[in-house]
Amino acid sequence: MNQPKRYLITAALPYANGLKHIGHLAGAYLPADIYVRYLRAQQRDVVFVCGSDEHGTAIPIQAMKEGTTAQAIIDKYHPIIQQNFADLGISFDIYHRTSAPIHHETAREFFDVLNKNGDLETRETEQYYDEQAQTFLADRYIKGTCPNCGNPGAYGDQCEKCGTSLSPDELINPVSTLSGNAPVKKATTHWYLPLNRHEEFLRGWILKEHGEDWRPSVVGQCKSWIDGGLQPRAVTRDLDWGIKVPVEGADGKVLYVWFDAPIGYISATKQWALDNGKNWEPYWNDEETKLVHFIGKDNIVFHCIIFPAMLKLHGNILPENVPANEFLNLEGDKMSTSRGWSIEMEDYINDWIKPENGGGAMADALRYYLTSIAPESKDSDFTWKGFQQAYTSELVSVFANFVNRAFVLMHKLCGGKVPVFHNDLIDDQDKQLIEEIKATKEKIETAIEQYRFREAQFEVIDLARKANKYMQDKEPWILAKSLAEKPELQKQIDNCLHLCLQLTANLAIFANPFLPFTVQKMLHMMKVVDKMLSWDNAGSLKLLSVGYTLRAPELLFRKIEDSEIAAQIEKLHARLAKAQAALAATSGGAAPAAAPAEKADKSAKPEAAAKAEIQYDDFAKLDLRTGTILSAEKVEKADKLLKLQVDLGTETRTIVSGIAMHYQPDQIVGKQVVVVTNLASRKMRGIESQGMILMAEDASGKLHFVNPEEKINPGAGVS
RNA sequence: GGCGAGGUAGCUCAGCUGGUUAGAGCAUCGGAUUCAUAACCCGAAGGUCGGCAGUUCAAGUCUGCUCCUCGCUACCA
């Protein structure tokens, strides 16, 4: 598609259960915004849609925790996130929300079409059901003991302490969080999207058609999924928060959030069209529309496999590209809101973007640094020092300094007006600079169109660098000293500054997608209007009219003091300490060691996970005994498992334990441990495990043996 | 364990179908300069291209093995 008729650009819908951090910004929203601003400058027909993802179980769960309703949660976060994006210059054409009626209609229609066409399957399965609440329980509504780490407050989909993904069936002693009762199994029917039917299509479309133009990591990830065998995926759930399944008798069932969320792109487009008197249909149905999804790498499977399969079945166009980014780390560690190691967009805005702190210029400062370290091909690292350095030595010293020099000199040496260019005096340096301007245009075009924003932005600064050198070589301030005896030198001064000013105007065009706030300031100084930023004007040397009076220079950026950076770093650590303390307080003295950032973000902080009260008889069912580890070896093809031989006095048992990440086999031989000896045996990795070792987890997530103060005889009862 | 993506100067990254002394920006050091937010300009130093073997006249670039990081996945009592 060389010149598409129109573009539809999407950025991943943020989940409306909390604030979003700068890693999200760097991963999806910023690159998408740069791309869109670039397209707009080219007068392309482009719509940039995004919005809050407001369904899914984490929303009502969050509501329970905050003691409010699901509706209140989304009504709280939706406007905050929307405003955060606006403050950072992310220029959505619409920031919609999936709770909107038009989205419900759109998603139901979508489901309906697939269902009526026979593109879905139904299956009956056994699911946990809360008899008191008379409802099926979504995974998140079931709690129990984590089979991996023993955390008693693990959820049915994931243990937040150890980060393990779970299914409700794996929980030990499952309990409904609605009534506190043990749930029962009950049959329920659900609709499935049989992805397995589309393997051939996906293989051809992704691997053959886009094997070259999509990012290697995206293609690789897809290939991995397809090769792993695509399975039917449940499209509906038993839950009361979401979009009702549009089928007779499907009461209490809603569309699974992964199904309705991407459809949010379509409903957002519809709403945008309504608001602007446009027709939405070509954007999703016409082959000449270029659809691009900007996402983080955690979203690849949805946007490259599942949603395209849905779109194809529904008769829509498919994405032309899905430029997924990797992750942004923070000062060397994974970013995670729940762990307290993150910079929320809101934090940055409060500390830097408020008018008294720097305003839009500081939004551009963040945009600049995040783009310069964009995790396009691998995870990258945000550091405050790096932020300050990139800002000071590139944005300010090279870019802003050139603009300032050109303006100051123009005012000092050319009477505050754009000087005339004397064509008869043009020299090789002038010609070369002019060539550089034109070359920059093409370099930026090529880079942006291939989603290489880091490189594109580099070219902007690089042009400013060349401009600095040009000015340095020409030295108009030196020439000015001899004007008295050689008045003809004024012509050379004029030529130099004429070019520098035209180049400044070009810089504004080039920088516009990246630094929109700064560029507005430049336009003001040059007394020109937005229209000048049209991409067609790039490369032109007639952007500023000869004789035109320009405003006095004003600094584009303020200085960032070392103390500010030190304060931010300090703040970061303070927040971490605070979050860790809060976690420790609520989860019985333990904090997650390394909860996966994304997963942790989508769920709220673990709450005190007190188990239901039991009677002595319940406890007495356990047969706990001391044992001594006689030998330990790593289990083949399993990262976490050790196979232990444990001496229980009267017998020696084989126990498989998930502690390999914490102990070397030879470290633990001879250790005394406490064993649950009457636990039903279970086979793991082909080894029969005849018991369970009790472990305690410390605040860092490390496991420790629970054992007698002094060594005693193996087989001693514990009670 | 399986799969995927990466591992190139202190940092962030370029290096296409193998071919002159492996490049850029930042940081560092030295010099020059003052129009400019001590910025700009010039110069220097800095890499056995994760490791080992192989193919080749020639490998950062191809093949095999291996180590490390990240992600997905399996295992998880």
Side-chain angles (χ1 to χ4, degrees), chain A residues 73-115:
Chain A
I73 291 293
I74 63 175
D75 286 348
K76 172 180 167 189
Y77 289 112
H78 171 77
I80 296 177
I81 296 171
Q82 181 172 28
Q83 185 60 46
N84 287 168
F85 282 133
D87 289 342
L88 291 161
I90 306 300
S91 58
F92 301 124
D93 288 301
I94 181 167
Y95 189 77
H96 203 231
R97 51 195 307 189
T98 61
S99 58
I102 193 172
H103 174 68
H104 282 240
E105 286 162 28
T106 304
R108 275 199 286 263
E109 183 271 347
F110 205 108
F111 175 92
D112 215 36
V113 168
L114 266 51
N115 196 29

Side-chain angles (χ1 to χ4, degrees), chain A residues 202-475:
Chain A
L202 290 166
R203 210 177 268 285
W205 177 60
I206 299 173
L207 305 182
K208 290 221 176 70
E209 282 183 50
H210 291 295
E212 296 300 313
D213 61 330
W214 286 14
R215 291 186 177 166
S217 58
V218 174
V219 175
Q221 191 63 234
C222 291
K223 184 172 186 300
S224 180
W225 269 83
I226 296 170
D227 288 348
L230 297 170
Q231 301 297 323
R233 201 177 168 102
V235 169
T236 58
R237 311 207 74 187
D238 293 301
L239 187 69
D240 63 357
W241 179 250
I243 295 170
K244 305 278 180 253
V245 175
V247 174
E248 199 77 28
D251 300 336
K253 295 185 194 301
V254 297
L255 300 181
Y256 218 133
V257 64
W258 66 257
F259 185 87
D260 96 68
I263 295 172
Y265 298 138
I266 301 176
S267 50
T269 311
K270 285 183 177 177
Q271 187 61 51
W272 166 83
L274 281 173
D275 296 345
N276 292 278
K278 298 278 175 65
N279 180 10
W280 69 273
E281 293 186 52
Y283 290 91
W284 285 95
N285 298 330
D286 185 348
E287 286 295 338
E288 291 187 84
T289 298
K290 180 164 171 176
L291 171 63
V292 182
H293 296 305
F294 285 85
I295 56 168
K297 67 174 163 184
D298 51 327
N299 253 326
I300 289 175
V301 63
F302 289 108
H303 289 78
C304 297
I305 304 231
I306 301 174
F307 192 45
M310 290 163 58
L311 288 171
K312 179 163 175 283
L313 291 172
H314 190 254
N316 299 110
I317 57 166
L318 300 175
E320 178 75 14
N321 206 325
V322 184
N325 271 339
E326 307 289 304
F327 290 151
L328 184 69
N329 290 328
L330 172 59
E331 302 283 358
D333 265 319
K334 258 185 254 265
M335 230 184 291
S336 158
T337 297
S338 60
R339 238 181 71 226
W341 192 248
S342 72
I343 301 169
E344 312 303 338
M345 296 194 288
E346 176 117 310
D347 291 334
Y348 185 89
I349 291 164
N350 287 335
D351 288 355
W352 299 93
I353 302 185
K354 297 282 183 211
E356 64 274 23
N357 295 332
M362 299 317 280
D364 282 349
L366 181 64
R367 290 172 65 110
Y368 178 78
Y369 180 54
L370 290 181
T371 299
S372 75
I373 59 166
E376 288 172 3
S377 54
K378 57 185 170 191
D379 290 356
S380 64
D381 195 24
F382 178 105
T383 64
W384 277 112
K385 277 248 185 296
F387 167 74
Q388 183 191 24
Q389 213 156 66
Y391 174 84
T392 304
S393 59
E394 294 166 25
L395 239 200
V396 180
S397 300
V398 177
F399 181 90
N401 182 41
F402 171 75
V403 174
N404 191 46
R405 294 173 87 186
F407 264 73
V408 168
L409 284 173
M410 179 267 297
H411 277 278
K412 284 189 180 170
L413 307 180
C414 303
K417 293 180 176 166
V418 179
V420 68
F421 189 81
H422 309 273
N423 263 317
D424 50 320
L425 287 181
I426 191 166
D427 65 14
D428 285 350
Q429 284 172 306
D430 300 333
K431 287 178 187 164
Q432 202 182 337
L433 187 71
I434 292 166
E435 280 314 303
E436 292 290 359
I437 297 173
K438 297 189 167 145
T440 298
K441 181 186 184 192
E442 285 177 17
K443 285 187 208 165
I444 293 177
E445 283 171 0
T446 305
I448 290 186
E449 276 159 28
Q450 292 177 51
Y451 311 102
R452 299 197 307 253
F453 303 107
R454 196 173 47 206
E455 182 184 328
Q457 183 178 255
F458 173 83
E459 293 300 338
V460 179
I461 301 300
D462 205 45
L463 179 62
R465 185 173 291 118
K466 283 162 181 154
N468 270 316
K469 177 172 169 51
Y470 169 82
M471 192 184 268
Q472 198 70 29
D473 291 344
K474 289 279 183 178
E475 296 184 311

